[in-house]
Amino acid sequence: MDDLYRELIIDRYKNPHHRGVLEPNDISFEDDNPLCGDHIRIDLRLDEAGRVSEASFDGHGCAISQASADLLVESVLGKTLDEVRLLSKEDILDMLGIELGPVRLKCALLSLKVLKAGAYGLGEASDDLVE
Amino acid sequence: MDDLYRELIIDRYKNPHHRGVLEPNDISFEDDNPLCGDHIRIDLRLDEAGRVSEASFDGHGCAISQASADLLVESVLGKTLDEVRLLSKEDILDMLGIELGPVRLKCALLSLKVLKAGAYGLGEASDDLVE
Amino acid sequence: MPMANNVNGFDVARIRADFPVLARQIRPGVPLVYLDSTATSQKPRAVIETMDEFYRKSNANIHRGIHTLAEEATAGYEGARRRVAQFINAPSARQVIFTRNTTESINLVAFTWGRANLNAGDIVILTEMEHHSNLVPWQMLAEERGLRLEFIPVREDGLLDMDAYRELLELEPCLVSFTHMSNVLGTINPAREMIALAHQAGALALVDGAQSVPHFPVDVQELDADFLAFSAHKMCGPSGIGVLYGRKELLEDMPPFLGGGDMIKRVYLRSFAPNEIPHKFEAGTPAIAEAVGLGAAIDYLESVGMQAIAQHEHEIVAYALERLEEIPGVRVFGPSAEHKGGVASFTLQGVHPHDISQILDSFGVAIRAGHHCAMPLHEKFGLPATARASFYLYNTREEIDRLVEAIYQVKEIFG
Amino acid sequence: MPMANNVNGFDVARIRADFPVLARQIRPGVPLVYLDSTATSQKPRAVIETMDEFYRKSNANIHRGIHTLAEEATAGYEGARRRVAQFINAPSARQVIFTRNTTESINLVAFTWGRANLNAGDIVILTEMEHHSNLVPWQMLAEERGLRLEFIPVREDGLLDMDAYRELLELEPCLVSFTHMSNVLGTINPAREMIALAHQAGALALVDGAQSVPHFPVDVQELDADFLAFSAHKMCGPSGIGVLYGRKELLEDMPPFLGGGDMIKRVYLRSFAPNEIPHKFEAGTPAIAEAVGLGAAIDYLESVGMQAIAQHEHEIVAYALERLEEIPGVRVFGPSAEHKGGVASFTLQGVHPHDISQILDSFGVAIRAGHHCAMPLHEKFGLPATARASFYLYNTREEIDRLVEAIYQVKEIFG
Ligand SMILES: Cc1ncc(COP(=O)(O)O)c(C=O)c1O
Ligand SMILES: Cc1ncc(COP(=O)(O)O)c(C=O)c1O
């Protein structure tokens, strides 16, 4: 079977570890992929040292977008916002462990785009964040 | 040498038989070929029976546009306006005795377009007249 | 045409051999099953080779050059225009304008005819099943001019609500602009009747023919359409070229669209006089090789026969609906086969359409997943996305079987 | 590159072998001498074959499909965008918008940036040597908005009057839009200096690069251009695709151009949200195979080297001017070779340029005759038309000799 659908992805899609919303939160951002309607919201809470103490995602979409969001949110726990801002496309691809063409890449990177727009405190998310 | 430049065309271009303007006239019309700037004016005088008694052309342009105009103007002498209106692309090509591609055709047909616009009393010439 | 391999004499095997890409394997041993012709069609060898030959032999800029290549290129480009006119039975080739695609054709009407004729409070009627290409230009114009947009509702069964349409016509709209065939539901709308009703109500009618012209015979005079828009790339032709047909008086009265070379009769430093139709609407160097390619595509389609193509697609879609509806968890959208063209949009419970498409791809089956540029229609059905298999002259029943098998695999993986 | 046959190591024979059309005979025994590259260039085998291959292997619609073909087609299209960005040294590929041609690129700026930013009384500066593509869009906008157009005069020697330009800048224009190289006179304008002056005066600068980008190295950052427009078909690429480069902040602030698929982020029945750049400006299915072809054309041009191409053309045009000026009755327009690119426009006393072109064609020599879409410039020189020979990387000194011989034949026929 296609290694795109590695067990990890199907597993995280069906049984996400970090799905939910945090209210109140310190940072919350949401956006969608206009090409397919996938939607992701990410909420973060920070501790006194400014590190991510709690993180969650919510939304709907394909297995790749949802599993990426779950893995991404997990990876930011304990990080400072500056560290979060440094996350790149490669970090997401490493977590997923797969190769993606340009269209599916947008699915995988939606959560990163949302996370970084939140971490930078932007009004709008932009593709520049994940290039 | 290219038979396009049959002696007839070069000859009529250099020594036109009917170049000039008629003032006053019964019908006068002018137009140009936007693709190349060729310009043709045709003046007609009619006799009492409504037949063309005098005809002339004026303008500037390539040998084909000017020679066609000269030949065309000559051919309408003695014709009624109804007969003039029936003149077609083929009549011009017969007079010139050559084959023309779509671009040069416009040069050859400019005088016909002008003549027919005049004969129909139109405000503006249209490619429909020579199709 | 004398043909074998099929009860109706439609020789799919022979047709498939005309399309080089259909021989492709997606992975070693996994042949391509191309079920995405609604997005864009594949190209027969004749079209590819005609363009190739144009570049190798006759390439030149058109209309203004006198040398042999320029005359040949002009003859090729203008010959393609006549070919298109014949194909849709336009009264004159001068009513055929070359654009980039259906989208530009519709924008051209909105921003020339629309800007010249529509004012605050004027009504344009669209439908809920329109492609974004037949929504956004009107929204832009509505915003600029204060127009009112009204929508013919789509019923649960995927057909337009014709009673509602009749009521909307009482508002005395200026224009009704609708798709001849939905690219999501496959619904073939009763264009002739809709246009007649529009005309009775004093409105003009624009037909989005992106999905009709490639798939069944379309005759602008029989339809009595005021405007018809379509794209070459969906009808075996190249990308980069589309068509707008318009009624002559309308085209002649419309102001120009873009400004530049070829669309002018005369230019001064501070003003210009526009050229005659169709040139008035074609600014700058057009898609020359692409027009020639479109002409070759029409030759190809007519050599097979538009009626035969429509019949073949009808059989394929009927078979597809039958097989898809057998699969537990699959829901197919749109009307029954008799009212539709070669499109089957569906969902599979618990699996996002993107994932369906991705896994199908690993079996060589190319379908499309998303909103198919029809977000409002998806919203109406409460879905962010659907999976869509779509068919053309080169598709076979065996390919439907491959699709169905692959969907069972998806169920297993996500099971 | 190691090359032979030429003092500078520029191997014209090898380059000619890359262009299939150059082997053509116009009549048996009469080989083509193609001297009309300013109208459109010929295409090397690599470009023709790349597009051919695209249609045979990877053809699909882009951006929205997930299957292998769609991913390949999207990668090809977006890869071409990055290739263009590198070629003109754009900071980001997102600043490269695919259009149909230079004409559409300029119209896009006029009707988005222009409509959003220019109002009654605002001034746009153009030049007297502009192609209709850089006149008519501004005339249309001027008429709609009440703008004032001013023109930098062309001097008798074919150069722009820079003193007059400096004076015009005191009017505080909003935009200066000018051609980098004249398609009639061949004049290469001092773009960098002109842009710097425009910026000092608070104006933006649009460069019409239709004749510069194909012929010598153009670097948007070095020029500091706000917009740059050019066409693929003039630079060894296919018809049907052009480019608009723009400064990022400008593009981001501009309203969309045409409405439809792909240029949107979200669509409701009565409103939409536009997509990010560059997609915001690309409505509907774009010229996909053509973008891929443009990418191949850039690869080809860079394999030869833009500096080497410029140098070669410079030598050819200098030789052409020398030979043409020898012919009694011939008058050549434009500046001396040092200020110009590969264009030689001329007249021959007593013979209309159309007739020159027609007779030259019978000797296989393809030149262009007419106003070359620059009527105001011709009016200024008091001519309805000129004959124009233009050169590219594949032209040779022997071809200039053929041109000159054929002109002597014209003189004989009309003598
Ligand atoms: C200087 C200049 N600008 C603009 C154009 C228009 O190019 P296109 O017809 O590809 O839009 C040309 C082409 O002739 C040109 O030479
Ligand atoms: C019904 C319909 N209209 C318009 C379009 C837009 O066509 P294009 O992208 O070629 O402009 C499409 C293509 O998807 C379509 O299916």
Side-chain angles (χ1 to χ4, degrees), chain D residues 168-192:
Chain D
L168 286 172
L169 286 174
E170 285 170 19
L171 300 171
E172 299 188 359
C174 298
L175 177 73
V176 180
S177 186
F178 66 94
T179 189
H180 204 166
M181 171 173 142
S182 162
N183 65 320
V184 178
L185 304 172
T187 317
I188 297 176
N189 290 316
R192 198 167 143 190

mmCIF file of all heavy atoms in Angstrom, chain D residues 168-192:
data_model
loop_
_atom_site.group_PDB
_atom_site.id
_atom_site.type_symbol
_atom_site.label_atom_id
_atom_site.label_comp_id
_atom_site.label_asym_id
_atom_site.label_seq_id
_atom_site.Cartn_x
_atom_site.Cartn_y
_atom_site.Cartn_z
ATOM 1 N N LEU D 168 8.978 66.799 -17.501
ATOM 2 C CA LEU D 168 7.665 66.167 -17.279
ATOM 3 C C LEU D 168 7.547 65.655 -15.848
ATOM 4 O O LEU D 168 6.466 65.678 -15.260
ATOM 5 C CB LEU D 168 7.453 65.011 -18.268
ATOM 6 C CG LEU D 168 7.143 65.416 -19.709
ATOM 7 C CD1 LEU D 168 7.146 64.182 -20.623
ATOM 8 C CD2 LEU D 168 5.791 66.135 -19.788
ATOM 9 N N LEU D 169 8.675 65.201 -15.295
ATOM 10 C CA LEU D 169 8.627 64.666 -13.926
ATOM 11 C C LEU D 169 8.244 65.746 -12.914
ATOM 12 O O LEU D 169 7.753 65.438 -11.827
ATOM 13 C CB LEU D 169 9.969 64.024 -13.558
ATOM 14 C CG LEU D 169 10.236 62.667 -14.224
ATOM 15 C CD1 LEU D 169 11.655 62.200 -13.909
ATOM 16 C CD2 LEU D 169 9.221 61.612 -13.770
ATOM 17 N N GLU D 170 8.467 66.988 -13.274
ATOM 18 C CA GLU D 170 8.077 68.067 -12.355
ATOM 19 C C GLU D 170 6.562 68.191 -12.207
ATOM 20 O O GLU D 170 6.069 68.811 -11.272
ATOM 21 C CB GLU D 170 8.683 69.399 -12.811
ATOM 22 C CG GLU D 170 10.169 69.423 -12.483
ATOM 23 C CD GLU D 170 10.909 70.591 -13.104
ATOM 24 O OE1 GLU D 170 10.251 71.576 -13.489
ATOM 25 O OE2 GLU D 170 12.150 70.491 -13.207
ATOM 26 N N LEU D 171 5.836 67.565 -13.140
ATOM 27 C CA LEU D 171 4.369 67.562 -13.035
ATOM 28 C C LEU D 171 3.879 66.609 -11.949
ATOM 29 O O LEU D 171 2.688 66.462 -11.728
ATOM 30 C CB LEU D 171 3.749 67.158 -14.377
ATOM 31 C CG LEU D 171 4.062 68.061 -15.579
ATOM 32 C CD1 LEU D 171 3.560 67.414 -16.868
ATOM 33 C CD2 LEU D 171 3.426 69.431 -15.377
ATOM 34 N N GLU D 172 4.826 65.900 -11.308
ATOM 35 C CA GLU D 172 4.481 64.919 -10.269
ATOM 36 C C GLU D 172 3.555 63.812 -10.766
ATOM 37 O O GLU D 172 2.449 63.621 -10.266
ATOM 38 C CB GLU D 172 3.869 65.628 -9.047
ATOM 39 C CG GLU D 172 4.870 66.605 -8.438
ATOM 40 C CD GLU D 172 4.396 67.205 -7.120
ATOM 41 O OE1 GLU D 172 3.274 66.871 -6.691
ATOM 42 O OE2 GLU D 172 5.163 67.985 -6.545
ATOM 43 N N PRO D 173 4.026 63.075 -11.740
ATOM 44 C CA PRO D 173 3.214 61.971 -12.266
ATOM 45 C C PRO D 173 3.103 60.842 -11.243
ATOM 46 O O PRO D 173 3.910 60.766 -10.304
ATOM 47 C CB PRO D 173 4.030 61.496 -13.476
ATOM 48 C CG PRO D 173 5.440 61.816 -13.101
ATOM 49 C CD PRO D 173 5.365 63.126 -12.356
ATOM 50 N N CYS D 174 2.104 59.987 -11.431
ATOM 51 C CA CYS D 174 1.946 58.812 -10.559
ATOM 52 C C CYS D 174 2.703 57.619 -11.118
ATOM 53 O O CYS D 174 3.077 56.711 -10.383
ATOM 54 C CB CYS D 174 0.474 58.438 -10.448
ATOM 55 S SG CYS D 174 -0.497 59.738 -9.701
ATOM 56 N N LEU D 175 2.860 57.598 -12.432
ATOM 57 C CA LEU D 175 3.452 56.422 -13.082
ATOM 58 C C LEU D 175 4.207 56.849 -14.327
ATOM 59 O O LEU D 175 3.753 57.729 -15.071
ATOM 60 C CB LEU D 175 2.333 55.449 -13.488
ATOM 61 C CG LEU D 175 2.788 54.192 -14.256
ATOM 62 C CD1 LEU D 175 3.484 53.213 -13.310
ATOM 63 C CD2 LEU D 175 1.607 53.503 -14.929
ATOM 64 N N VAL D 176 5.349 56.200 -14.552
ATOM 65 C CA VAL D 176 6.045 56.314 -15.827
ATOM 66 C C VAL D 176 6.066 54.909 -16.416
ATOM 67 O O VAL D 176 6.509 53.967 -15.762
ATOM 68 C CB VAL D 176 7.489 56.827 -15.642
ATOM 69 C CG1 VAL D 176 8.185 56.940 -16.996
ATOM 70 C CG2 VAL D 176 7.502 58.158 -14.901
ATOM 71 N N SER D 177 5.516 54.766 -17.619
ATOM 72 C CA SER D 177 5.443 53.436 -18.240
ATOM 73 C C SER D 177 6.098 53.528 -19.604
ATOM 74 O O SER D 177 5.656 54.292 -20.466
ATOM 75 C CB SER D 177 3.981 53.013 -18.340
ATOM 76 O OG SER D 177 3.892 51.689 -18.814
ATOM 77 N N PHE D 178 7.157 52.756 -19.804
ATOM 78 C CA PHE D 178 7.943 52.937 -21.045
ATOM 79 C C PHE D 178 8.544 51.625 -21.501
ATOM 80 O O PHE D 178 8.740 50.698 -20.723
ATOM 81 C CB PHE D 178 9.047 53.972 -20.817
ATOM 82 C CG PHE D 178 10.082 53.520 -19.827
ATOM 83 C CD1 PHE D 178 11.251 52.905 -20.234
ATOM 84 C CD2 PHE D 178 9.874 53.700 -18.458
ATOM 85 C CE1 PHE D 178 12.209 52.468 -19.311
ATOM 86 C CE2 PHE D 178 10.821 53.268 -17.530
ATOM 87 C CZ PHE D 178 11.978 52.657 -17.956
ATOM 88 N N THR D 179 8.846 51.592 -22.789
ATOM 89 C CA THR D 179 9.436 50.384 -23.339
ATOM 90 C C THR D 179 10.944 50.372 -23.088
ATOM 91 O O THR D 179 11.612 51.392 -23.218
ATOM 92 C CB THR D 179 9.128 50.266 -24.843
ATOM 93 O OG1 THR D 179 9.547 48.972 -25.274
ATOM 94 C CG2 THR D 179 9.845 51.314 -25.679
ATOM 95 N N HIS D 180 11.427 49.202 -22.728
ATOM 96 C CA HIS D 180 12.857 49.037 -22.484
ATOM 97 C C HIS D 180 13.618 49.126 -23.808
ATOM 98 O O HIS D 180 14.721 49.645 -23.873
ATOM 99 C CB HIS D 180 13.099 47.679 -21.820
ATOM 100 C CG HIS D 180 14.358 47.587 -21.027
ATOM 101 N ND1 HIS D 180 14.599 46.569 -20.157
ATOM 102 C CD2 HIS D 180 15.455 48.374 -20.981
ATOM 103 C CE1 HIS D 180 15.798 46.734 -19.605
ATOM 104 N NE2 HIS D 180 16.330 47.822 -20.087
ATOM 105 N N MET D 181 12.977 48.590 -24.856
ATOM 106 C CA MET D 181 13.600 48.682 -26.187
ATOM 107 C C MET D 181 12.505 48.863 -27.215
ATOM 108 O O MET D 181 11.498 48.156 -27.192
ATOM 109 C CB MET D 181 14.384 47.403 -26.466
ATOM 110 C CG MET D 181 14.889 47.313 -27.903
ATOM 111 S SD MET D 181 15.993 45.898 -28.149
ATOM 112 C CE MET D 181 15.480 45.396 -29.792
ATOM 113 N N SER D 182 12.688 49.812 -28.110
ATOM 114 C CA SER D 182 11.683 50.083 -29.145
ATOM 115 C C SER D 182 11.664 48.967 -30.180
ATOM 116 O O SER D 182 12.712 48.571 -30.686
ATOM 117 C CB SER D 182 11.987 51.410 -29.836
ATOM 118 O OG SER D 182 11.291 51.479 -31.072
ATOM 119 N N ASN D 183 10.462 48.511 -30.521
ATOM 120 C CA ASN D 183 10.347 47.448 -31.524
ATOM 121 C C ASN D 183 10.435 48.001 -32.947
ATOM 122 O O ASN D 183 10.370 47.247 -33.901
ATOM 123 C CB ASN D 183 9.045 46.667 -31.350
ATOM 124 C CG ASN D 183 7.821 47.514 -31.621
ATOM 125 O OD1 ASN D 183 7.788 48.681 -31.228
ATOM 126 N ND2 ASN D 183 6.818 46.967 -32.285
ATOM 127 N N VAL D 184 10.565 49.313 -33.096
ATOM 128 C CA VAL D 184 10.673 49.919 -34.430
ATOM 129 C C VAL D 184 12.078 50.499 -34.631
ATOM 130 O O VAL D 184 12.754 50.190 -35.611
ATOM 131 C CB VAL D 184 9.625 51.034 -34.618
ATOM 132 C CG1 VAL D 184 9.782 51.676 -35.994
ATOM 133 C CG2 VAL D 184 8.221 50.472 -34.436
ATOM 134 N N LEU D 185 12.491 51.314 -33.682
ATOM 135 C CA LEU D 185 13.788 51.988 -33.814
ATOM 136 C C LEU D 185 14.924 51.132 -33.272
ATOM 137 O O LEU D 185 16.085 51.352 -33.604
ATOM 138 C CB LEU D 185 13.749 53.317 -33.051
ATOM 139 C CG LEU D 185 12.624 54.274 -33.468
ATOM 140 C CD1 LEU D 185 12.554 55.452 -32.516
ATOM 141 C CD2 LEU D 185 12.829 54.729 -34.901
ATOM 142 N N GLY D 186 14.593 50.194 -32.422
ATOM 143 C CA GLY D 186 15.619 49.386 -31.793
ATOM 144 C C GLY D 186 16.271 50.063 -30.603
ATOM 145 O O GLY D 186 17.071 49.446 -29.895
ATOM 146 N N THR D 187 15.912 51.314 -30.369
ATOM 147 C CA THR D 187 16.498 52.083 -29.267
ATOM 148 C C THR D 187 16.395 51.335 -27.932
ATOM 149 O O THR D 187 15.312 50.891 -27.552
ATOM 150 C CB THR D 187 15.735 53.412 -29.083
ATOM 151 O OG1 THR D 187 15.496 53.976 -30.364
ATOM 152 C CG2 THR D 187 16.492 54.352 -28.166
ATOM 153 N N ILE D 188 17.527 51.206 -27.249
ATOM 154 C CA ILE D 188 17.502 50.663 -25.889
ATOM 155 C C ILE D 188 17.492 51.850 -24.941
ATOM 156 O O ILE D 188 18.436 52.633 -24.892
ATOM 157 C CB ILE D 188 18.713 49.747 -25.626
ATOM 158 C CG1 ILE D 188 18.662 48.533 -26.575
ATOM 159 C CG2 ILE D 188 18.741 49.286 -24.174
ATOM 160 C CD1 ILE D 188 19.857 47.607 -26.490
ATOM 161 N N ASN D 189 16.392 51.992 -24.216
ATOM 162 C CA ASN D 189 16.258 53.152 -23.333
ATOM 163 C C ASN D 189 17.009 52.936 -22.025
ATOM 164 O O ASN D 189 17.144 51.806 -21.557
ATOM 165 C CB ASN D 189 14.776 53.425 -23.066
ATOM 166 C CG ASN D 189 14.082 53.945 -24.303
ATOM 167 O OD1 ASN D 189 14.612 54.800 -25.002
ATOM 168 N ND2 ASN D 189 12.900 53.408 -24.600
ATOM 169 N N PRO D 190 17.495 54.021 -21.421
ATOM 170 C CA PRO D 190 18.266 53.908 -20.170
ATOM 171 C C PRO D 190 17.319 53.638 -18.998
ATOM 172 O O PRO D 190 17.033 54.521 -18.188
ATOM 173 C CB PRO D 190 18.933 55.278 -20.057
ATOM 174 C CG PRO D 190 18.036 56.211 -20.806
ATOM 175 C CD PRO D 190 17.389 55.421 -21.888
ATOM 176 N N ALA D 191 16.834 52.405 -18.914
ATOM 177 C CA ALA D 191 15.746 52.068 -17.988
ATOM 178 C C ALA D 191 16.130 52.356 -16.535
ATOM 179 O O ALA D 191 15.331 52.893 -15.761
ATOM 180 C CB ALA D 191 15.356 50.600 -18.157
ATOM 181 N N ARG D 192 17.349 51.988 -16.163
ATOM 182 C CA ARG D 192 17.728 52.149 -14.765
ATOM 183 C C ARG D 192 17.689 53.616 -14.354
ATOM 184 O O ARG D 192 17.122 53.968 -13.317
ATOM 185 C CB ARG D 192 19.134 51.582 -14.595
ATOM 186 C CG ARG D 192 19.470 51.300 -13.180
ATOM 187 C CD ARG D 192 20.712 50.458 -13.121
ATOM 188 N NE ARG D 192 21.511 50.876 -11.995
ATOM 189 C CZ ARG D 192 22.760 50.466 -11.775
ATOM 190 N NH1 ARG D 192 23.331 49.640 -12.640
ATOM 191 N NH2 ARG D 192 23.404 50.887 -10.731
#
